[in-house]
């Protein structure tokens, strides 16, 4: 798992499928050797150095010679030492010095992966081994953390900086990781051709997770968020592939940050055409004052590699997150099938209406939980008031919250409740009592978003008070599920609590404050299932998954539109993490009609539920629900544990298709949607993947039995009911 070649100073982090290697060539120079397919323990150093750099800045090394740092792929890139690429570290000493020559000091192989206090982190469990490599420069100690796994092709990285001097230093950039991929050919690419492509997820609220793919050329390509949340506009995920990489074959490198706030991920083709990758906290306006004796920990970054294309890369992420990130008590447990009233009622409802929804749900065998969404507290009838006042509106509910919870439980269901803890309405008792508790610039009116302001979570008093007011409700009421929402971006960049010289820490401290709240409320209530949400999927990231086993994927609930979103989110996040509901048709946002079966088939590719007025459904439609829930339960192990193969992308054609295969390959399921029924269009041939070639599989829906290899090569033509937005589902059962 961690092999050390002492003679050459080389470290190999490895498992059966991959190698990640670097070597300490000189104290000042740690060279990144390789990340990719498994290699031997014999990698040479200095391969990527080209000759003839007559005018390069000469960096002396102990053997008496010089190196050109600019050309050497490294494990971190410091500033001002002859390296003109993107630095991964920028530190300013009290005397103004910014050139830091970090020198290797030694390494450790601790028994346990060191904890990352108060932050989300990937566990090592029994499958991970951690290596710490220590460096220092001018009294600043830096540790690079690596954890490698034997059950998936992933390396988890982070950085610790410790100020051992008597003066403060300023951290201006502290990327969680850096490494480089070497050029395939040592010549310039002809115009219009690139060696590498970036694949990433872009969008907005209601259109999360659109897969983008584009060439990487000379210079720096970056994605990031400055919204204070990881954001729907660009997810903190980047894959790097070759132009030939497909869903099933070719190299695919994935980078994902275990961080829910602002971020930057950079991919730079350097002067000698290395592809230098780095990423972590957003550093556009970041300056962290690290006092004498203080330590700074970066968030973690996950790096994955697969030779089996983008689907292969996704499976590595899914395996890692299911086994080592998502809370263990929930990850492999079938999640409750919920009914939520939000799309049916929005803010305005009466206790009587809610009880009608609950009664109707109780009549549907299989619905496990009722979620009371926004509108139950303070005087909340629309978005303009009451956030922060977590006081039950008993008049509106027609009784106490416990009474409503009892009503739900008496009908055999669990009770779930919506909160938006980080936010505050101007029209609230909390704001009137503590106008200084919001993020605001002293001389400007704070900008609202969805009519609300953001609480200053850099202030521990705010975190404590919030935790207490939410906890009071959780204590007093029987609640099994919490939906934790966050409906706006951060816009002010100023915390009234922090001193002037710490204002450039505000964005990071806000996210740390959010995690402090999660530590108290989420980890403090381990029996409650917390679902994340942020205007839909605006904070869908690995940091969230450490606390929240599932996240509301999007407020876009139209099934055809959802196929794009669920397809994109699956690049990095397992299907069991995606919360998906059947809503009414025509959808609130889309004019077209989608058959009920299709809405259910797409929602069943995640944590499943309903969000509509069941009492308004036609009896024939309502009669379908128990069958749908039954089908969901039959296949739920595939959602929780299955290997995902993306067979067809809705962005590339008229079809969406996902296949899930049980890890022991005894069963597979394909869900396919045909968007439009177009006359005379070529039909789709679907070839299942991941089956055992020599085993026989029966497909009950096709009434056909073939060898795995026949299914995988020849495939079949899915059949659809006439009409647009139809789905079909096929099972393959090993005999
Ligand atoms: C956000 C969520 C919705 C719903 C509303 C309530 O938009 O994504 O699911 O909870 O807030 O205000």
């Amino acid at each position: 798992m961690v092999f050390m070649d002492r003679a050459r100073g080389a470290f190999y982090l490895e498992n059966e499928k991959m190698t990640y290697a670097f070597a300490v060539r000189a104290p000042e120079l740690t060279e990144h050797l390789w990340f990719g397919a498994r290699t031997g323990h014999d990698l040479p150093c200095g391969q990527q150095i080209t000759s003839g750099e007559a005018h390069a800045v000469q960096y002396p090394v102990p053997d008496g010679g010089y190196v050109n740092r600019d050309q050497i792929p490294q494990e971190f890139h410091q500033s001002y030492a002859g390296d003109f690429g993107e630095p991964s570290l920028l530190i300013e000493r009290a005397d103004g010095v910014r050139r830091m020559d970090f020198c290797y000091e030694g390494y450790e192989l601790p028994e346990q992966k060191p904890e990352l206090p108060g932050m989300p982190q990937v566990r090592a469990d029994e499958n991970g081994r951690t290596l710490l490599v220590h460096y220092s420069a001018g009294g600043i100690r830096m540790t690079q953390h690596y954890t490698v796994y034997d059950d998936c092709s992933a390396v988890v990285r982070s950085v610790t900086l410790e100020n051992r001097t008597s003066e403060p230093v300023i951290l201006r950039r502290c990327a969680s990781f850096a490494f480089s991929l070497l050029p395939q050919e040592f010549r310039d690419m002809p115009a219009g051709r690139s060696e590498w492509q970036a694949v990433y997820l872009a969008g907005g609220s209601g259109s999360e997770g659109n897969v983008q793919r584009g060439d990487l050329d000379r210079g720096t390509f970056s994605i990031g968020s400055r919204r204070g949340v990881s954001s729907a506009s660009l997810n903190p995920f980047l894959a790097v592939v070759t132009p030939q990489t497909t869903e099933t074959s070719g190299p695919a490198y994935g980078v994902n940050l275990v961080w829910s706030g602002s971020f930057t991920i950079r991919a730079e083709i350097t002067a000698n055409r290395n592809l230098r990758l780095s990423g972590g906290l957003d550093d556009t306006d970041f300056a962290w004052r690290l006092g004498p004796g203080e330590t700074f920990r970066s968030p973690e970054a996950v790096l994955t590699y697969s030779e089996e294309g983008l689907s292969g890369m996704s499976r590595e992420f899914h395996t890692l997150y299911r086994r080592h990130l998502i809370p263990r008590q929930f990850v492999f447990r079938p999640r409750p099938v919920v009914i939520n009233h939000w799309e049916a009622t929005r803010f305005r409802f009466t206790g009587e209406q809610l009880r009608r929804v609950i009664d109707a749900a109780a009549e549907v065998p299989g619905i496990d939980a009722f979620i009371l969404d926004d509108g139950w507290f303070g005087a909340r009838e629309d978005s303009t008031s009451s956030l922060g006042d977590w006081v039950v509106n008993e008049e509106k509910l027609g009784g106490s919250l416990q009474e409503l919870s009892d009503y739900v439980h008496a009908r055999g269901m669990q009770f779930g409740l919506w909160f938006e803890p980080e936010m505050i309405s101007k029209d609230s008792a909390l704001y009137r009592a503590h106008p200084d508790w919001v993020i605001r610039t002293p001389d400007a009116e704070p900008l609202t978003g969805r009519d609300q302001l953001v609480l200053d979570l850099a202030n521990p008093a705010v975190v404590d008070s919030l935790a207490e007011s939410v906890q009071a409700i959780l204590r007093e009421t029987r609640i099994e599920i919490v939906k934790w929402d966050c409906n706006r971006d951060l816009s002010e960049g100023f915390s009234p609590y922090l001193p002037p010289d710490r204002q450039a820490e505000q964005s990071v401290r806000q996210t740390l404050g959010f995690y402090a709240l999660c530590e108290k409320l989420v980890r403090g209530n381990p029996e409650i299932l917390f679902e994340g949400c942020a205007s839909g999927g605006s904070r869908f990231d690995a940091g969230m998954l450490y606390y929240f086993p599932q996240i509301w994927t999007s407020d876009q609930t139209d099934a055809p539109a959802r196929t794009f979103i669920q397809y994109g989110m699956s690049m990095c996040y397992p299907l069991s993490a995606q919360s998906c509901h059947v809503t009414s048709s025509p959808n609130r946002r889309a004019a077209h009609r989608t058959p009920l079966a299709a809405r259910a088939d797409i929602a069943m590719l995640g944590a499943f539920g309903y969000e509509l007025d069941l009492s308004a459904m036609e009896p024939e439609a309502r009669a379908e629900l128990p069958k749908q829930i039954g089908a969901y339960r039959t296949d739920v192990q595939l959602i929780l544990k299955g290997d995902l193969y993306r067979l067809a992308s809705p962005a590339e054609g008229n079809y969406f298709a996902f296949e899930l295969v049980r890890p022991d390959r005894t069963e597979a399921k394909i869900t396919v949607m045909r968007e439009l029924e177009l006359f005379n269009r070529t039909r789709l041939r679907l070839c299942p993947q991941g089956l055992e070639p020599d085993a026989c599989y029966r497909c009950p829906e096709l009434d056909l039995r073939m060898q795995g290899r026949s299914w995988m090569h020849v495939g079949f033509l899915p059949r659809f009911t006439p009409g647009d937005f139809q789905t079909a589902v096929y099972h393959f059962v090993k005999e």
Side-chain angles (χ1 to χ4, degrees):
M1 293 252 295
V2 178
F3 175 82
M4 247 221 87
D5 176 348
R6 277 170 221 279
R8 297 202 228 189
F11 295 87
Y12 291 83
L13 311 173
E14 59 192 15
N15 59 34
E16 277 174 15
K17 294 192 259 181
M18 57 140 247
T19 295
Y20 183 108
F22 56 92
V24 180
R25 282 177 65 189
E28 302 83 350
L29 196 68
T30 298
E31 182 182 348
H32 173 81
L33 298 179
W34 178 253
F35 181 29
R38 171 107 194 230
T39 66
H41 297 149
D42 45 11
L43 299 183
C45 293
Q47 276 224 98
Q48 37 287 328
I49 298 173
T50 52
S51 57
E53 286 284 328
H55 304 284
V57 172
Q58 298 167 313
Y59 191 92
V61 282
D63 63 10
Y66 297 101
V67 293
N68 172 5
R69 290 194 83 99
D70 205 26
Q71 293 195 339
I72 303 178
Q74 293 157 72
E75 287 299 295
F76 54 91
H77 294 272
Q78 50 209 21
S79 50
Y80 299 107
D83 181 340
F84 299 101
E86 287 285 351
S88 65
L89 283 172
L90 263 174
I91 303 173
E92 185 181 322
R93 279 193 341 214
D95 59 4
V97 167
R98 275 115 63 233
R99 174 175 155 185
M100 303 290 277
D101 293 16
F102 278 100
C103 285
Y104 174 77
E105 281 204 326
Y107 73 96
E108 274 178 79
L109 281 167
E111 278 302 310
Q112 305 282 328
K113 179 172 183 273
E115 277 227 1
L116 193 46
M119 273 213 260
Q121 53 211 288
V122 186
R123 301 182 303 267
D125 298 330
E126 58 287 351
N127 302 95
R129 193 74 217 267
T130 299
L131 167 71
L132 308 179
V133 187
H134 303 295
Y135 301 85
S136 79
I140 309 298
R141 187 169 212 238
M142 172 179 64
T143 303
Q144 294 282 338
H145 299 239
Y146 302 82
T147 301
V148 60
Y149 292 82
D150 62 18
D151 58 349
C152 45
S153 262
V155 178
V156 175
R157 290 191 56 180
S158 64
V159 178
T160 303
L161 287 164
E162 194 190 332
N163 182 357
R164 293 181 168 180
T165 72
S166 53
E167 302 275 354
V169 297
I170 306 290
L171 312 181
R172 298 201 179 275
R173 185 177 286 188
C174 180
S176 303
F177 75 94
F179 71 93
S180 299
L181 298 170
L182 310 182
Q184 317 286 325
E185 297 171 56
F186 287 89
R187 65 183 169 92
D188 275 331
M189 296 301 285
R193 262 185 63 201
S194 299
E195 279 190 311
W196 298 108
Q197 293 185 329
V199 178
Y200 54 102
L201 305 175
S205 173
S207 63
E208 295 85 344
N210 283 292
V211 180
Q212 310 288 312
R213 183 166 177 162
D215 290 345
L216 289 171
D217 286 314
R218 278 285 177 86
T220 303
F221 168 80
S222 74
I223 57 167
S225 159
R226 290 199 274 141
R227 295 167 184 269
V229 290
S230 49
S231 99
S233 54
L234 287 163
N235 193 276
F237 155 78
L238 178 72
V240 168
V241 298
T242 67
Q244 295 75 35
T245 300
T246 65
E247 274 294 332
T248 54
S249 69
Y253 295 87
V255 170
N256 190 214
L257 302 177
V258 189
W259 180 246
S260 310
S262 298
F263 72 94
T264 309
I265 300 176
R266 296 186 169 90
E268 178 190 19
I269 308 263
T270 61
N272 62 330
R273 297 193 33 260
N274 289 331
L275 170 55
R276 179 182 290 194
L277 291 150
S278 65
L281 301 174
D282 170 48
D283 45 38
T284 319
D285 179 26
F286 171 69
W288 187 282
R289 193 169 180 276
L290 192 65
E294 287 180 352
T295 297
F296 181 83
R297 285 291 308 260
S298 79
E300 291 187 335
V302 176
L303 318 178
T304 59
Y305 169 74
S306 174
E307 288 175 312
E308 294 176 21
L310 285 163
S311 276
M313 173 206 70
S314 300
R315 290 192 291 275
E316 301 298 342
F317 276 121
H318 298 176
T319 305
L320 184 78
Y321 290 168
R322 291 193 294 217
R323 293 190 190 162
H324 306 298
L325 178 71
I326 299 173
R328 282 200 196 95
Q329 69 271 35
F330 294 111
V331 65
F332 294 126
R333 201 201 276 179
R335 310 289 163 69
V337 174
V338 305
I339 173 79
N340 182 313
H341 64 92
W342 172 251
E343 284 212 6
T345 66
R346 312 258 307 161
F347 299 97
R348 290 171 195 267
F349 49 78
T350 62
E352 207 180 299
Q353 251 176 313
L354 292 181
R355 284 168 178 79
R356 261 206 312 277
V357 174
I358 296 163
D359 288 342
E363 281 170 23
V364 179
I367 294 190
D368 299 309
F370 167 78
I371 312 292
L372 178 55
D373 211 286
D374 196 352
W376 57 268
F377 51 94
R380 184 106 162 145
E381 292 297 333
D382 54 34
S383 60
T384 58
S385 89
S386 304
L387 288 172
D389 295 346
W390 301 110
V391 180
V392 182
N393 185 340
E394 298 197 349
E395 202 183 318
K396 184 170 178 179
L397 295 187
S400 71
L401 195 61
Q402 184 55 52
E403 278 163 352
L404 190 68
S405 160
D406 288 342
Y407 192 88
V408 172
H409 287 110
R411 280 149 191 79
M413 289 183 286
Q414 298 181 341
F415 182 57
L417 192 62
W418 178 97
F419 283 98
E420 195 175 354
E422 298 146 81
M423 299 296 159
I424 182 168
S425 306
K426 270 188 170 172
D427 180 6
S428 68
L430 187 69
Y431 185 75
R432 285 185 281 275
H434 297 285
D436 54 330
W437 275 13
V438 304
I439 296 175
R440 63 187 312 162
T441 314
D443 48 7
E445 262 305 294
L447 301 174
T448 53
R450 210 198 192 206
D451 302 313
Q452 62 205 45
L453 303 175
V454 186
L455 283 161
D456 179 11
L457 303 187
N459 181 347
V462 178
V463 172
D464 290 347
S465 148
L466 257 182
E468 189 33 51
S469 64
V470 173
Q471 187 62 47
I473 303 266
L474 300 181
R475 208 170 23 235
E476 286 155 17
T477 321
R478 191 172 155 204
I479 290 171
E480 285 90 1
I481 303 170
V482 166
K483 177 177 173 189
W484 182 317
D485 212 336
C486 165
N487 278 317
R488 64 158 291 184
D489 299 333
L490 276 59
S491 56
E492 309 296 310
F494 194 94
S495 152
Y497 169 79
L498 293 173
D501 61 355
R502 290 205 179 267
Q503 288 301 335
E505 300 171 15
Q506 184 271 332
S507 174
V508 174
R509 288 193 182 272
Q510 178 73 13
T511 304
L512 294 176
F514 163 63
Y515 290 146
L517 206 49
C518 290
E519 290 287 325
K520 287 174 193 279
L521 289 172
V522 182
R523 284 169 54 90
N525 292 288
E527 67 297 338
I528 296 180
L529 170 66
F530 281 80
E531 174 171 297
C533 177
S535 317
S538 293
R539 190 162 61 181
F540 202 126
D541 57 67
M544 291 294 287
L545 290 183
Y546 174 73
Y547 297 104
F548 300 82
Q550 59 190 56
I551 300 169
W552 180 232
T553 319
S554 178
D555 278 355
Q556 174 59 274
T557 57
D558 172 54
R562 263 294 184 119
T563 61
F564 289 75
I565 296 168
Q566 294 174 208
Y567 186 99
M569 288 303 194
S570 80
M571 280 283 155
C572 204
Y573 311 108
L575 298 195
S576 56
Q578 301 190 22
S579 176
C580 309
H581 295 169
V582 174
T583 56
S584 54
S585 173
N587 185 274
R588 213 158 54 84
R589 292 172 182 242
H592 55 250
R593 287 177 189 279
T594 306
L596 177 61
R599 282 178 270 150
D601 285 340
I602 299 306
M604 269 181 222
L605 293 170
F608 182 59
Y610 294 89
E611 192 164 328
L612 37 71
D613 184 356
L614 292 177
S615 61
M617 270 179 121
E618 298 292 327
E620 312 84 69
R622 192 124 58 103
E624 292 300 310
L625 272 43
K627 293 185 222 158
Q628 293 173 354
I629 297 169
Y632 177 66
R633 290 209 204 290
T634 308
D635 292 332
V636 76
Q637 291 302 327
L638 285 164
I639 295 291
L640 295 173
K641 298 184 182 150
D643 289 329
L644 175 70
Y645 295 81
R646 285 181 294 261
L647 303 185
S649 162
E652 288 167 19
N654 200 26
Y655 297 93
F656 158 87
F658 268 5
E659 180 193 9
L660 286 160
V661 183
R662 273 180 96 105
D664 64 6
R665 303 207 269 178
T666 53
E667 196 195 348
K669 172 190 171 185
I670 292 180
T671 302
V672 50
M673 173 179 264
R674 182 184 61 192
E675 302 269 327
L676 301 181
E677 184 186 21
L678 297 166
F679 181 62
N680 244 348
R681 277 281 291 260
T682 317
R683 286 179 67 189
L684 173 76
R685 186 161 63 92
L686 278 175
C687 295
Q689 295 170 28
L691 305 181
E692 265 179 55
D694 295 326
C696 258
Y697 290 84
R698 193 172 58 81
C699 174
E701 292 85 1
L702 293 166
D703 195 18
L704 191 60
R705 187 176 169 276
M706 287 203 283
Q707 266 190 16
R709 62 176 76 253
S710 308
W711 282 117
M712 292 194 286
H713 289 306
V714 180
F716 67 98
L717 300 174
R719 298 184 202 129
F720 299 94
T721 308
D724 296 339
F725 313 119
Q726 293 287 348
T727 49
V729 174
Y730 298 92
H731 291 84
F732 303 86
V733 187
K734 187 176 156 190
E735 297 202 315

